[in-house]
Amino acid sequence: MNEAIVKVLNSIAEDILSLVHLILDENGLRNSALKDEARCTVETSGNPVFRIIFNDYIDYIKNGRKPDSGEAPPISDLRDWALRKGIPATNDVLYAIAETIRKQGMAPRPILAMLEEEIEKSFENEWADELFEAIIREIEVFFND
């Protein structure tokens, strides 16, 4: 894979990460560990593969929680969230929040489906053309040498 194609693929990986951040911002996760820890990498040897990496909290966001289903979330998982939101992070407050989540549940947010849709749009409207141009340049260099 030549340098121009790798450059386009790396640019796409950066754009994907920007889309991740935008979608998380729009879904109330602007100051979340989920956003801070999100990564996008591209494997450029062989067929290109993009990897979008989230922490485990993505499962709770995309699946939600049904009311009265199972245990309350651990208060240790809620501590950083409470501090970012300016909520006192005492054990009694965190326990009350955890119990409320257990009793009332949490609605799922289709973040990954939204991301997939935005990636498909970007590929159709922008990235496919960029890759095509880089491939054409590689072919021209190959036949002109």
Side-chain angles (χ1 to χ4, degrees), residues 1 29 36 54 59 70 78 85 105 109 114 123 127 142:
M1 202 169 298
L29 297 161
D36 292 342
F54 293 100
D59 290 332
L78 296 172
K85 299 288 185 181
R109 292 183 256 178
M114 297 162 111
F123 190 82
W127 301 334
F142 178 80

Side-chain angles (χ1 to χ4, degrees), residues 28-77:
L29 297 161
R30 179 179 310 276
N31 297 317
S32 68
L34 185 63
K35 180 181 174 185
D36 292 342
E37 296 173 11
R39 301 284 177 265
C40 182
T41 62
V42 61
E43 175 63 44
T44 57
S45 62
N47 291 328
V49 175
F50 293 91
R51 291 186 191 351
I52 305 168
I53 303 163
F54 293 100
N55 67 26
D56 292 343
Y57 191 64
I58 191 70
D59 290 332
Y60 296 108
I61 297 296
K62 72 176 181 129
N63 296 327
R65 265 184 188 263
K66 293 181 181 171
D68 292 316
S69 63
E71 298 178 17
I75 62 172
S76 59
D77 291 349

